[in-house]
Amino acid sequence: MSTIIQENIECNKSLCHVPNTPSAANKRWRSAFVSIYCSRALLSFFKDSLHDNKTAKVPQNSSSIIFDIKPADDSFKIDQTSLTELVKEKNADKLQNIGGVDGVASILETNVEFGIHGNVEDITRRRESFGSNTLHQKVSILELVVGDVVCLKIGDQVPVDGLFLEGHSLKVEESSITQDESDHVEVNCHHPFLFSGTKVVDGYARMLVTSVGKNTTWGEVMSSIIHDTNELQTPLQVQLNKLTSSIRKVGLAIALLALVVLLVRYFTGNTANECVIEEFHGRKKNFCVMVKAMRILATATTIVELVIPKGFSLAVKRTHVYATKKMMVNQAMVQKLSAFETMGFATTICTDIAGSLSLNQMKVTKFWLGKESFDAAAYSSIAPYFLELVLEGVAMNTTGTAYKPTSRFEIEFLSNPTKKSILSWAIVELNMEMEQLMHNCKIISVKAFNLHMKRSGVLLRRMRDSTIHVHWKGAAEIILKMCSRYYDSSGIMKELDDHERMKFEQIIQGMEANSLQCLSEEDQEYGTKDKKIEEGLTLLGLVGLKDPCCPVVRNAVEDCQYAGVNIKMITGDNVFTAKAIATECGILRPSQDMFNGVVIEGMEFRNYTPEERKEKVDKICIMAKASPIDKSLMVECLKQKGYIVAVIGGDINDAPALKEADIGLSMGTHGTEVVRLSSDIIILDDNFASMAKVLRWGRCVHKNIKKFIQFQFTVNVAAIIVNFVAIIFVNEGPLTGVQLLWVNLIMHNLVALALATEKPTKTLMEKPRMGWTKPLITNNMWRNLLAQVLYKIVVILTLKFKGQLIFNVCEKVRDTLIFDTFVLCQFFNQLDARKLMEENIFKGIHSNKLFLSIIAITIVLQVVMVEYLKWIEGTKSLNWWQWSACIGMAIVSWLVSWIVKRIPIPQKPFLSYLKN
């Protein structure tokens, strides 16, 4: 340190211009300066040492919890990672170690009553330290920064992660971001953690912002499942690119061959033109050679123009756009265009029950008092005291509201489907006075329902006698284990021994086998002594709830199965309920249940080895009690075996499976926002029948694109061969460049639009499922294509070489006949492309008005081009007999198609024979 001080002194000497031989006064000044500087240097050294000691890590022992509050950028004494973990882990001990919520507010320099300062410098500093509240989109609350204080009320969506400051009766719905299916989670000073994406369902509060944007829980979920907007090429686009590349290579080879033949013939004198190589002597002859060479090059270039496909990309886009608009009418919104193509190949659909197969409208259909079932007509015979206990439990232990605007309207229930059904049953059928019951009791404590406990409870005090009671309600098998007594049908309390418990278990299984969700309710009175409130209870009764299947689901399932697509049910419900609903929907046939491995539970599938999963996944029809991990494992296993998998999901639990699937479909009404954003297609009406329509449209899109491929391929191949042969023999093609431009740009664009608007038919669902690896041009297409190409070659070349003689016309009229016949043949080729495998090409044509309109427009434009725009095409007017001849030759092409479609073809692809 002395060395550093000495160096600094020498440096300061030069700065202060101190003379080498100072005077006595100067010596005194120098001595004072050195003393002051050394003191400052020593003080700085000790400060640095103290700082290093403060920032050194302290070893952690078992009785202490260390919370890292080191500054991120010398602005705040806590970093973003620590704030995120504090809320995400819900660690109350860490929170208390730094002084609770007030301590966090102090570290963030936030006034818990008025919030942050709000000036530009302060907001900028917070954004630099913790980021801005921006999400993978614009929202109205993107100006929030860490340290802000946000006011929340009923109906608000929590915009950021944070901590509860103060409020009253705040309850939020966390099912949108967690795997917990509970509706209401109470947030208070003891449980102060709030998450973005959740909704306030009751109360009001003020919260301290701790994380924004991608650092929030919502942001993490969105980051993991939202699709990239820059989609990769679809499988069909890859196949089209390969086909286009192959066509270009073949066409360029043919064009090069034609160029070589013409040049060799010309320069060797084997030509009928006036200029030959022996005559070239001088500049004029050299210029003639150059002009002729340019003509030869232009002729060869015509072939190149023919082989470049003009309409493939346009046809694909138009087909996608048209199908997307039509699917909106059929209650499906496509978010990823490639999903259409993938759906055409789908082989397996994995679906849950609620929302997709069922109406998601629960209704109480069974009520058991003791071991006896009661229907609505027998409710009046139930003992009043016992009925009061049941209604008390329903009113106090069911979160939800019932609202009746006037006597003319039905009562409206606001809650989830299960709780709505119980409230509706109690109020409508049991005449429950909910307000009066709640006025007679005071709630002491509430245990909210969650997925792990599968029950909810309420501890209350009756106002009339100050007695304390507890009511539990939840899954019947769980509640039954907590009971040691039960009420019989007469309202008499009895002991629940092992024999009686077995009878109740059989009742529960019987209800579940009839696709009923079974809930039970229990009650117990407590004194002032402390005792457990989860055992030794009395069973009040069993309630069976049914979520009816959609009326059209069974037909939709049968349509999918008939199309060769397997339907697998993956649900969190128990085995009995899953089997009953699957049988009702047609997913499970009665005979299938006899085979081992058709119905399994998620844990069983999870415990299989990867090899065992691959071996048994084919037979599995139902997976009950499945977790999100089980769903994802099922999809992964199916994909590994080569299946194309579509998954239908509704909540955050389905997000992993949706991400893993080839096609993700979400529920538009009951689905969470995260799942909707992560899916490829949204089923707007939450109906499985719409899924069958999506499958049909997916196949239709693929089919329509194939139709246009056959059409364009036929035109290109025929034009290439005809022009090549004509060029070789007479040095010029039968079609001019302008005529080819007309065929490519006008005919192809209109035909692409016409074929793109073909609607799906029932026959699409009768065909076997298609695979990714099957060739784009099938054997049927090759048969149709080659027959049409051969016929057009014969007709056009006959007109080219013998047309003047046959029709006794001049060269100009002959060329017009060639052009007109070629275009009209494409008109019938367009009709033939509508039905790739059917003999009647006019079947169903009357239902497609746009297709008929395009045909009419094509004919009109062709007549105008030939008869009135002769100067553009270089054509000459035709008489009625000549027009009839052109039409007749074109009609024969349809007869050729009708004949060749009767020719049987092998199943093995034609191109595979060449590879062998």
Side-chain angles (χ1 to χ4, degrees):
M1 183 184 72
S2 60
T3 305
I4 297 174
I5 295 175
Q6 184 62 35
E7 291 178 289
N8 288 334
I9 292 174
E10 294 299 324
C11 179
N12 282 281
K13 281 182 181 180
S14 61
L15 293 174
C16 298
H17 302 287
V18 180
N20 293 329
T21 56
S23 62
N26 287 338
K27 286 181 180 180
R28 287 194 295 272
W29 281 110
R30 180 182 296 178
S31 177
F33 174 82
V34 170
S35 299
I36 294 171
Y37 189 86
C38 290
S39 300
R40 292 179 62 187
L42 286 171
L43 182 61
S44 175
F45 174 80
F46 286 117
K47 281 186 176 179
D48 291 339
S49 300
L50 289 173
H51 180 268
D52 291 339
N53 290 333
K54 286 182 179 179
T55 56
K57 292 186 177 179
V58 180
Q60 182 177 352
N61 56 44
S62 58
S63 61
S64 64
I65 298 177
I66 302 300
F67 190 84
D68 187 9
I69 57 173
K70 62 182 180 181
D73 57 353
D74 297 330
S75 296
F76 297 94
K77 296 181 180 179
I78 193 169
D79 59 13
Q80 180 62 66
T81 303
S82 300
L83 281 174
T84 302
E85 292 177 354
L86 175 67
V87 178
K88 186 176 180 179
E89 296 175 0
K90 299 183 180 180
N91 194 319
D93 293 333
K94 283 186 178 181
L95 183 61
Q96 292 303 319
N97 280 353
I98 59 175
V101 178
D102 290 335
V104 176
S106 177
I107 293 173
L108 294 177
E109 303 175 16
T110 298
N111 187 309
V112 296
E113 187 173 350
F114 301 106
I116 63 176
H117 297 296
N119 54 51
V120 176
E121 293 79 9
D122 184 46
I123 292 177
T124 302
R125 182 170 61 116
R126 293 175 186 274
R127 282 181 176 163
E128 290 176 352
S129 300
F130 305 109
S132 61
N133 194 38
T134 304
L135 294 179
H136 297 349
Q137 61 184 6
K138 293 183 179 180
V139 288
S140 60
I141 39 79
L142 56 81
E143 297 299 327
L144 290 177
V145 293
V146 172
D148 261 327
V149 174
V150 177
C151 297
L152 300 175
K153 61 183 183 300
I154 295 178
D156 287 346
Q157 181 172 343
V158 181
V160 288
D161 285 1
L163 298 169
F164 175 91
L165 287 173
E166 62 176 1
H168 180 71
S169 303
L170 182 67
K171 293 183 179 179
V172 296
E173 180 185 341
E174 291 188 352
S175 59
S176 61
I177 63 165
T178 67
Q179 296 179 6
D180 193 342
E181 296 179 355
S182 63
D183 277 36
H184 302 161
V185 175
E186 188 171 356
V187 181
N188 48 39
C189 295
H190 303 290
H191 182 78
F193 308 102
L194 288 159
F195 301 95
S196 61
T198 59
K199 293 183 180 179
V200 178
V201 295
D202 195 12
Y204 61 89
R206 294 165 69 246
M207 67 172 288
L208 174 67
V209 178
T210 59
S211 298
V212 294
K214 63 182 181 180
N215 298 314
T216 63
T217 305
W218 176 267
E220 290 180 2
V221 174
M222 298 286 282
S223 301
S224 64
I225 63 177
I226 286 184
H227 289 297
D228 190 356
T229 54
N230 297 322
E231 296 182 12
L232 298 176
Q233 285 188 330
T234 65
L236 180 59
Q237 288 173 334
V238 173
Q239 287 181 306
L240 283 175
N241 289 340
K242 290 181 179 179
L243 177 62
T244 302
S245 178
S246 300
I247 294 174
R248 286 174 177 168
K249 290 177 181 177
V250 173
L252 289 174
I254 294 175
L256 183 61
L257 178 60
L259 179 62
V260 171
V261 170
L262 290 175
L263 289 176
V264 170
R265 177 183 296 165
Y266 177 66
F267 286 108
T268 56
N270 297 320
T271 177
N273 291 340
E274 66 281 0
C275 294
V276 292
I277 192 64
E278 289 82 5
E279 300 176 355
F280 291 163
H281 299 288
R283 294 181 180 178
K284 291 184 180 181
K285 300 302 180 182
N286 290 337
F287 179 75
C288 182
V289 171
M290 183 170 26
V291 171
K292 188 58 183 177
M294 292 298 294
R295 287 180 180 175
I296 292 173
L297 183 61
T299 303
T301 305
T302 302
I303 297 179
V304 178
E305 174 68 17
L306 284 171
V307 301
I308 299 177
K310 302 296 189 304
F312 281 174
S313 299
L314 186 61
V316 173
K317 290 179 180 178
R318 283 180 175 173
T319 304
H320 281 161
V321 171
Y322 176 78
T324 300
K325 291 181 178 179
K326 287 297 182 181
M327 281 308 302
M328 284 295 292
V329 179
N330 288 302
Q331 301 299 314
M333 184 173 72
V334 180
Q335 299 192 121
K336 190 177 180 183
L337 290 179
S338 61
F340 261 137
E341 298 170 15
T342 312
M343 279 305 303
F345 299 103
T347 57
T348 304
I349 298 174
C350 299
T351 180
D352 205 332
I353 296 175
S356 54
L357 299 176
S358 65
L359 294 175
N360 206 25
Q361 298 174 1
M362 304 294 291
K363 184 178 180 180
V364 175
T365 59
K366 289 283 185 180
F367 175 56
W368 287 74
L369 173 55
K371 292 172 286 185
E372 184 177 341
S373 176
F374 284 76
D375 54 19
Y379 289 159
S380 59
S381 63
I382 300 175
Y385 170 75
F386 174 75
L387 190 60
E388 183 181 354
L389 284 176
V390 173
L391 296 180
E392 182 183 78
V394 171
M396 307 305 294
N397 195 21
T398 306
T399 55
T401 58
Y403 174 68
K404 187 174 183 180
T406 64
S407 59
R408 296 176 298 173
F409 296 96
E410 295 182 355
I411 301 175
E412 296 180 6
F413 299 94
L414 303 177
S415 189
N416 70 9
T418 301
K419 295 172 183 176
K420 282 170 62 176
S421 65
I422 295 176
L423 286 176
S424 174
W425 169 70
I427 292 176
V428 177
E429 298 188 26
L430 297 180
N431 300 317
M432 180 179 73
E433 296 292 339
M434 191 169 181
E435 292 183 2
Q436 182 179 347
L437 287 169
M438 297 189 71
H439 180 73
N440 294 337
C441 301
K442 181 180 180 180
I443 294 177
I444 299 174
S445 178
V446 173
K447 192 70 173 180
F449 179 89
N450 63 66
L451 185 61
H452 306 290
M453 293 177 56
K454 294 186 178 180
R455 66 183 188 271
S456 63
V458 59
L459 188 67
L460 56 87
R461 183 190 301 276
R462 288 179 182 165
M463 305 303 293
R464 66 172 180 265
D465 55 10
S466 296
T467 57
I468 297 175
H469 290 254
V470 63
H471 283 275
W472 288 98
K473 179 177 87 268
E477 65 274 13
I478 301 295
I479 299 297
L480 185 63
K481 293 178 182 178
M482 301 166 63
C483 298
S484 59
R485 293 178 296 275
Y486 73 97
Y487 283 100
D488 65 7
S489 58
S490 301
I492 300 174
M493 186 182 298
K494 294 184 177 181
E495 292 297 320
L496 185 62
D497 55 22
D498 293 341
H499 179 69
E500 297 295 324
R501 191 181 302 274
M502 186 179 298
K503 291 182 179 179
F504 277 105
E505 289 176 351
Q506 291 174 352
I507 292 174
I508 294 171
Q509 291 179 5
M511 295 173 70
E512 291 173 344
N514 290 316
S515 69
L516 298 179
Q517 290 190 14
C518 190
L519 299 180
S520 62
E521 188 176 348
E522 58 190 358
D523 167 71
Q524 181 64 49
E525 180 181 350
Y526 289 92
T528 57
K529 294 183 179 180
D530 182 24
K531 60 185 297 188
K532 293 183 179 181
I533 62 173
E534 297 184 2
E535 58 185 36
L537 305 174
T538 304
L539 182 67
L540 292 180
L542 302 174
V543 179
L545 297 90
K546 185 176 181 64
D547 186 7
C549 291
C550 299
V552 294
V553 162
R554 189 176 186 90
N555 291 335
V557 169
E558 290 176 353
D559 288 343
C560 293
Q561 292 173 337
Y562 186 65
V565 180
N566 297 321
I567 310 295
K568 296 182 182 293
M569 177 190 289
I570 309 177
T571 178
D573 291 320
N574 59 65
V575 171
F576 299 104
T577 302
K579 285 168 59 177
I581 295 179
T583 303
E584 184 179 352
C585 295
I587 295 176
L588 181 67
R589 292 185 292 274
S591 58
Q592 280 185 291
D593 196 21
M594 299 175 62
F595 296 99
N596 186 29
V598 175
V599 181
I600 66 169
E601 291 188 352
M603 182 175 293
E604 181 183 355
F605 184 77
R606 195 186 319 143
N607 292 333
Y608 287 155
T609 63
E611 292 74 19
E612 288 176 328
R613 291 196 198 106
K614 287 184 180 180
E615 179 185 351
K616 299 181 179 182
V617 72
D618 292 329
K619 293 193 300 183
I620 296 174
C621 188
I622 298 174
M623 183 190 290
K625 291 187 176 180
S627 68
I629 297 176
D630 301 328
K631 295 181 182 180
S632 185
L633 278 176
M634 170 71 85
V635 175
E636 181 182 356
C637 185
L638 288 168
K639 289 179 63 178
Q640 289 174 353
K641 293 206 68 175
Y643 292 99
I644 309 302
V645 185
V647 172
I648 307 177
D651 57 27
I652 195 66
N653 297 334
D654 300 317
L658 283 170
K659 184 180 179 182
E660 184 69 30
D662 295 296
I663 317 107
L665 300 102
S666 63
M667 300 292 101
T669 303
H670 297 97
T672 61
E673 185 176 355
V674 173
V675 174
R676 286 196 296 268
L677 290 173
S678 67
S679 61
D680 304 315
I681 301 174
I682 300 176
I683 306 298
L684 299 176
D685 60 354
D686 292 8
N687 194 334
F688 190 86
S690 299
M691 175 66 202
K693 296 176 183 176
V694 172
L695 178 63
R696 186 176 297 166
W697 269 104
R699 293 191 172 187
C700 180
V701 165
H702 193 264
K703 199 71 168 181
N704 288 347
I705 293 173
K706 279 193 167 187
K707 292 174 182 178
F708 181 78
I709 291 173
Q710 176 177 301
F711 171 82
Q712 174 132 21
F713 216 48
T714 302
V715 176
N716 285 12
V717 173
I720 290 171
I721 296 176
V722 165
N723 275 269
F724 176 75
V725 173
I727 288 171
I728 293 297
F729 286 96
V730 295
N731 294 334
E732 63 177 3
L735 300 173
T736 66
V738 177
Q739 291 170 348
L740 290 174
L741 183 64
W742 161 257
V743 173
N744 275 333
L745 299 183
I746 306 300
M747 284 286 295
H748 289 181
N749 286 338
L750 291 175
V751 172
L753 180 60
L755 295 177
T757 58
E758 283 288 292
K759 298 178 182 178
T761 60
K762 292 183 179 180
T763 56
L764 287 173
M765 302 297 279
E766 297 172 357
K767 306 301 178 184
R769 60 197 180 201
M770 296 172 285
W772 291 105
T773 58
K774 287 191 175 181
L776 190 60
I777 302 180
T778 62
N779 287 359
N780 290 318
M781 295 171 66
W782 278 117
R783 178 193 60 190
N784 302 344
L785 187 153
L786 294 175
Q788 290 292 326
V789 167
L790 181 61
Y791 174 74
K792 290 177 177 62
I793 291 173
V794 172
V795 170
I796 300 303
L797 291 181
T798 301
L799 291 175
K800 179 65 177 177
F801 295 111
K802 300 294 182 180
Q804 289 180 258
L805 181 62
I806 294 173
F807 291 95
N808 193 23
V809 293
C810 64
E811 183 179 350
K812 201 76 168 179
V813 174
R814 181 206 62 184
D815 292 341
T816 305
L817 287 170
I818 292 174
F819 171 61
D820 200 31
T821 302
F822 186 80
V823 172
L824 291 177
C825 281
Q826 306 319 316
F827 163 73
F828 280 95
N829 184 22
Q830 176 182 349
L831 292 173
D832 183 54
R834 283 189 67 248
K835 303 294 181 182
L836 296 179
M837 291 180 286
E838 296 182 27
E839 298 173 6
N840 185 4
I841 63 176
F842 299 101
K843 182 179 178 181
I845 195 172
H846 61 279
S847 62
N848 194 337
K849 307 298 183 185
L850 183 58
F851 191 93
L852 293 174
S853 300
I854 290 176
I855 289 177
I857 292 172
T858 303
I859 295 175
V860 171
L861 289 176
Q862 179 63 16
V863 173
V864 171
M865 184 64 69
V866 172
E867 298 295 332
Y868 302 101
L869 298 178
K870 299 184 290 292
W871 57 275
I872 295 179
E873 293 284 354
T875 58
K876 194 172 182 63
S877 297
L878 302 178
N879 56 38
W880 285 108
W881 182 84
Q882 292 165 345
W883 268 102
S884 300
C886 294
I887 295 173
M889 287 184 286
I891 289 177
V892 174
S893 69
W894 169 65
L895 295 176
V896 170
S897 173
W898 182 79
I899 293 172
V900 298
K901 285 181 179 179
R902 292 171 171 263
I903 301 175
I905 55 173
Q907 295 295 325
K908 187 177 180 179
F910 286 156
L911 294 180
S912 62
Y913 291 101
L914 299 178
K915 295 179 182 179
N916 295 336

